[in-house]
Amino acid sequence: MSLTRCYLGDGSPESRSDSVEQEGSVCKLTWSLSEGSRLFRAVPPLAGKMAAASPDELQKLQERFREKNSTCFILGASGETGKQLLAEILRQQLFSRVTLIGRRKLNLEGQLYTNVTQEVVDFEKLDESAAAFKGHDVGFCCLGTTKAKAGADGFVRIDRDYVEHSAQLAKAGGCCHFLLQSSKGADSSSRFLYLRVKGEAEARVQAVGFPRCSIFRPAVLLCDRQESRPSEWMIRKVLGVIALAFPTAHSIPTVTVARAMVNNVVMPGSDDQKVEILENAAIHTLGQTK
């Protein structure tokens, strides 16, 4: 008996269509039943507890977390999930200071951003910007590009090497909880470049040895991108309709992923499990609480 899952491309709307062009409209990956069971068990019991938190319970956790006066950084705040993540962090007012680390400064104006600082870095010379990673309790990583934009080598460098190097500097700088946006189907042994690179990035981040590491594996990300090719627009519309009947099957809104990542931070971690992996259904459930 086998367990079969289907994935439409990779973890972002734009690269989903790239994958459609490069690898066919549907990438079908099949595991044995035992392998599938092992993968499902990779989502720790803690994820279920987090998902079960009521709005009142979550509010109490948020209040206790604010008392810690914690700080955080965001990698990839200019991306679709990163934008939603920044907005959710500021909405919940969980951190005393938020640092955006990226290749360029974002245009942020207004009272809302008074506790937001920006650090411009060269990811090719990241060690020179090690100071940007110091003094943060929590790190959010939403770095990512596509093969179409950066080429195969550039994609690997950004989605795997930049992520790994950033994680190493974050750990050295005192980060205790690192949250990584990966992708559904991430697998270091996959024959598909995107899924293999995402799996390798996950493994390398885990190897850094954070006291707590949360890995999110969303399916197709639903969002309204300003730059969109017709094929991307069509894919999002079709998946949007499917999501009405099967909300956790093949897609998830970026705002839901962002909210799940922020909600995850305030939940207490497990003493005997430093790494937690949240699959699409768990992300969807955790992201519904607000």
Side-chain angles (χ1 to χ4, degrees):
M1 183 176 181
S2 65
L3 174 67
T4 302
R5 290 182 175 178
C6 297
Y7 305 99
L8 187 57
D10 56 44
S12 65
E14 61 186 23
S15 51
R16 294 284 175 178
S17 61
D18 294 337
S19 188
V20 168
E21 296 167 2
Q22 298 158 10
E23 299 171 356
S25 59
V26 176
C27 303
K28 184 179 292 185
L29 307 180
T30 305
W31 293 274
S32 68
L33 182 60
S34 60
E35 290 173 327
S37 299
R38 176 179 56 78
L39 180 60
F40 282 117
R41 288 199 298 272
V43 182
L46 180 62
K49 295 178 182 177
M50 289 186 290
S54 69
D56 288 341
E57 291 171 337
L58 183 61
Q59 184 176 1
K60 292 178 181 178
L61 289 169
Q62 291 168 343
E63 291 172 354
R64 286 200 289 268
F65 187 86
R66 292 188 188 100
E67 294 174 356
K68 298 179 181 180
N69 202 36
S70 299
T71 62
C72 77
F73 68 79
I74 303 175
L75 290 159
S78 63
E80 298 301 331
T81 303
K83 292 175 185 176
Q84 297 290 347
L85 179 61
L86 175 59
E88 185 64 24
I89 287 174
L90 297 179
R91 184 187 71 82
Q92 294 194 23
Q93 298 182 331
L94 294 176
F95 299 95
S96 60
R97 176 167 56 90
V98 180
T99 302
L100 309 184
I101 302 176
R103 294 182 296 106
R104 57 182 175 81
K105 283 192 174 183
L106 304 183
N107 184 20
L108 303 177
E109 298 180 355
Q111 186 72 19
L112 182 65
Y113 303 103
T114 54
N115 70 331
V116 177
T117 61
Q118 300 194 61
E119 296 284 349
V120 177
V121 302
D122 182 347
F123 284 98
E124 293 293 333
K125 304 175 182 177
L126 203 55
D127 285 329
E128 296 179 2
S129 301
F133 292 86
K134 291 183 178 180
H136 299 94
D137 304 292
V138 178
F140 297 92
C141 183
C142 300
L143 279 180
T145 187
T146 67
K147 182 179 177 182
K149 279 189 174 182
D153 292 340
F155 165 69
V156 173
R157 192 165 65 253
I158 293 171
D159 280 57
R160 186 192 66 191
D161 300 344
Y162 287 2
V163 168
E164 178 188 16
H165 200 174
S166 297
Q168 292 170 341
L169 292 178
K171 175 66 162 49
C175 179
C176 296
H177 187 185
F178 192 83
L179 297 93
L180 173 66
Q181 179 188 0
S182 182
S183 172
K184 180 177 181 179
D187 182 355
S188 60
S189 63
S190 174
R191 66 189 182 92
F192 297 114
L193 177 66
Y194 181 86
L195 299 180
R196 182 173 70 252
V197 169
K198 286 298 186 182
E200 291 171 351
E202 287 185 6
R204 295 188 182 194
V205 167
Q206 292 184 49
V208 172
F210 288 99
R212 183 180 179 188
C213 178
S214 303
I215 297 174
F216 295 76
R217 291 177 173 173
V220 178
L221 298 173
L222 300 179
C223 60
D224 293 323
R225 297 185 65 245
Q226 293 181 348
E227 297 177 2
S228 180
R229 293 189 292 271
S231 57
E232 297 171 8
W233 180 88
M234 181 61 68
I235 289 172
R236 289 200 305 274
K237 291 300 181 182
V238 171
L239 289 174
V241 173
I242 294 175
L244 295 176
F246 307 99
T248 66
H250 302 295
S251 62
I252 189 168
T254 52
V255 64
T256 303
V257 177
R259 190 179 299 125
M261 295 178 80
V262 179
N263 287 348
N264 173 268
V265 169
V266 304
M267 306 302 298
S270 174
D271 293 334
D272 60 351
Q273 191 165 16
K274 292 185 177 181
V275 178
E276 53 196 8
I277 299 177
L278 285 81
E279 300 288 352
N280 195 59
I283 298 170
H284 188 277
T285 304
L286 182 58
Q288 294 304 303
T289 308
K290 56 182 177 178

